[in-house]
Each structure stands twice: as structure tokens, then as C-alpha cells.
Amino acid sequence: MTVRISHSAEVRSFFEHAAGLTHDQGNPRLKQIVLRILQDSAKLIEDLAISDDEFWTAVDYLNRLGARGEAGLLVAGLGIEHFLDLLSDARDQLTGRTGGTPRTIEGPLYVAGAPLCEGEARLDDGLDPGTPMLLQGKVLDLDGQPIAGAIVDVWHANTRGLYSYFDPSQSEYNLRRRIRTDAQGRYRARSIVPSGYGCPADGPTQQCLDQLGRHGQRPAHIHFFISAPGHRHLTTQINLSGDQYLWDDFAYATRDGLIGEVTFAEDGAHGIAGRIAELNFDFRLQQATSSDDEQRSLRPRALQDH
């Protein structure tokens, strides 16, 4: 027998009180959000006949998720972060703001304050024996004109799929730099070919994915923030061609227009001994219509800009 009480006046009034709507103190926006969460959670419990054991197992799961710092990983893995991109795309389409390099998810591993370099940078510290990579391209507007002084904020994993700061074995800001484009809008970086990564096998995100019958693997990729005065901030990433998970990314970050074609040059190219990977990628930015367009989101991130 299904019992439903969430629609009753008594329960609705109770949730309004719990969300702080019966007084003027607090944050009105947060009150509305909390009220909706309470109402929708109650309806879910009723509709799916959630047992007490299932409910408290979920509470324990959230505790473990937070303790492992994997909430950002889970929202990517469940497609919620990709949904935000799809929603932003739809809003842009409605207002005619189209064109340029596609956005895609930021992920949970950005660290603010990487060293700022002029025109070109060395991203790696030379300790990882991975294949050297020369990454270069231009930042352009929608008319194909170069944008001088744009900031290319780039970060990626090492050959073990690990990121500096979160991996204490790496040097500070390893594989993280900000590069200011030159007068022709060009940026250039020497690094190593990154590896994809998987969710920690013993973590709560992978536990959830296991229950859904899904893997937790990402293809090799390189993250970017691209910003320039008068242009919309772009959060995106290049996913490397040829990776087995290119179109099977557990985080749903691969999109048309964001595939990086990697080629290889022979020994001695660019003055580098041995085989070297080359990746050329241009970014095209939309024009900003307000100062807010130029700013990245205010989501909390590790460290702060210097």
C-alpha cells in the first residue's frame, strides 16, 4: 500500500518552516532552493517507496563522498555538469549567441594561480619520462582576427593520469601555466602527452558507477580557460584523438569541435631529441555583451589567484 502525505497542508507547512520561510532572517534565494529540495525529496521517497535502510545508506554515501572530496567527480560522472553545458548552449541558441569554440566541463581539478608566461611556456618539470609534446595555436575572434593579450590558462594530467596539487609527488604547478598570447594571438607550450585517468577504484564515485554498470574512465585531455577583454570567457578542453575512451568518456566532456589531432615528428624536430607529439589548436571567442561575460564562474577552487 502506497501512503502519500507530502502534498498535505500539514507537511507543506512543516517544510516551509524547515526552510526558514516563516521568518525574514537568512537568504531568500537559498530558502527557495532548500524548500524545493525538501519537497522533491519527499515526493521521491513516496514515489519510489524508499525504505529507511535505503535512505540512511544514501546519507552514509554522502558522508563518504564528502570525506573523499569526490562530489565534483560524481556530478561529472552522472552527467550533471554536462547538462549545465547543454542548458547554457540552449540559452545561447535562444538569444542568437552562436559560433566559436564549444564549451565543455571544467572538472574538479583546476588550481588557481599558475605562473603567467608571455607567449610560450614549459608546462612540465622534466621529471616525467613521457613523450614530449608541443602544443600551439591562436586565440581568434569569430571573424578569424587574432586576439593579442588573451590569457590561455592550461592544465592537464601527467602520464599516470594524476594532477599536481592533488598528487603530492609532483612539483608545484607542474603541468599548469597561464600563457598570454602575443601580438598575433599565438600561444605555444612545451609539455608531455597526458594520460587519461579513472575514478579511484576504492572511492564512492566508482562504487556508484559500478552499481549503474558503468566504467569511470576518461580519455587523455587538456583543460583550458580562455579569456580576453571584450570577449566571453571560455571553459573547455581538448580531448586527444585516438584514445579508446574518446567517445566513451564517463564525464561526457567530449564534444564535436574539441578533438585534438595529435601528430608525431621525428628525432630532432624543434630541437628536441627523440619522438615528439605535435598538437595545433585554435580557439575562437564570442564577443562579450557585458562585463559578466568576461568572467569565469565563481565556483570554489583550490588555492586563490596571486
Side-chain angles (χ1 to χ4, degrees):
M1 180 178 63
T2 301
V3 176
R4 299 179 183 275
I5 63 170
S6 63
H7 65 283
S8 70
E10 180 182 2
V11 171
R12 293 179 68 86
S13 177
F14 168 64
F15 282 153
E16 288 175 0
H17 186 276
L21 290 172
T22 56
H23 56 75
D24 295 331
Q25 290 76 35
N27 184 313
R29 171 67 172 171
L30 182 59
K31 290 181 181 184
Q32 289 294 329
I33 293 171
V34 169
L35 178 62
R36 180 62 179 269
I37 291 172
L38 293 174
Q39 291 172 337
D40 287 357
S41 295
K43 190 172 187 303
L44 182 150
I45 289 169
E46 290 177 337
D47 289 349
L48 298 183
I50 301 297
S51 69
D52 287 356
D53 286 347
E54 288 174 323
F55 177 83
W56 290 110
T57 296
V59 171
D60 176 69
Y61 178 84
L62 293 176
N63 283 334
R64 290 186 289 111
L65 188 72
R68 288 287 292 258
E70 289 192 13
L73 200 59
L74 183 66
V75 297
L78 293 181
I80 299 172
E81 193 171 4
H82 179 60
F83 168 77
L84 295 177
D85 285 339
L86 296 178
L87 184 59
S88 293
D89 290 347
R91 288 168 173 163
D92 284 351
Q93 189 73 30
L94 187 63
T95 57
R97 306 184 74 179
T98 59
T101 302
R103 61 169 59 88
T104 195
I105 70 170
E106 174 185 328
L109 300 170
Y110 176 73
V111 175
L116 178 62
C117 306
E118 300 295 329
E120 59 183 295
R122 175 77 182 262
L123 272 60
D124 67 301
D125 58 12
L127 300 179
D128 192 316
T131 302
M133 177 178 67
L134 184 62
L135 169 66
Q136 60 186 351
K138 293 183 178 181
V139 179
L140 309 166
D141 65 19
L142 294 187
D143 295 322
Q145 296 302 306
I147 302 176
I151 302 298
V152 178
D153 198 338
V154 54
W155 70 102
H156 68 76
N158 64 9
T159 56
R160 296 190 297 145
L162 301 175
Y163 288 76
S164 62
Y165 180 83
F166 302 94
D167 171 23
S169 72
Q170 296 185 49
S171 60
E172 186 178 33
Y173 291 117
N174 186 43
L175 305 173
R176 302 177 185 272
R177 289 295 186 274
R178 290 176 293 161
I179 306 170
R180 195 191 318 271
T181 59
D182 65 16
Q184 287 74 47
R186 296 176 302 193
Y187 72 94
R188 179 183 171 99
R190 176 178 167 179
S191 192
I192 55 172
V193 177
S195 173
Y197 67 84
C199 297
D202 63 343
T205 300
Q206 188 58 58
Q207 179 189 12
C208 177
L209 294 174
D210 287 342
Q211 293 295 310
L212 299 177
R214 294 180 49 207
H215 70 74
Q217 300 297 316
R218 293 220 58 205
H221 57 280
I222 304 170
H223 293 271
F224 294 90
F225 288 151
I226 312 292
S227 58
H231 296 82
R232 293 184 78 183
H233 173 87
L234 175 67
T235 298
T236 195
Q237 59 184 271
I238 299 171
N239 296 276
L240 304 190
S241 60
D243 193 289
Q244 65 172 317
Y245 294 108
L246 180 62
W247 292 107
D248 190 22
D249 178 4
F250 100 95
Y252 305 101
T254 305
R255 309 191 75 181
D256 289 332
L258 295 178
I259 310 302
E261 298 293 337
V262 180
T263 59
F264 292 91
E266 298 307 316
D267 184 44
H270 309 290
I272 300 173
R275 192 166 181 251
I276 180 172
E278 297 177 315
L279 176 55
N280 298 299
F281 200 93
D282 295 340
F283 299 95
R284 294 178 180 266
L285 302 185
Q286 294 181 8
Q287 186 174 4
T289 58
S290 70
S291 59
D292 289 344
D293 280 349
E294 300 178 26
Q295 309 301 315
R296 69 177 188 234
S297 72
L298 298 177
R299 61 183 280 183
R301 297 175 175 91
L303 303 188
Q304 296 293 322
D305 292 297
H306 296 323

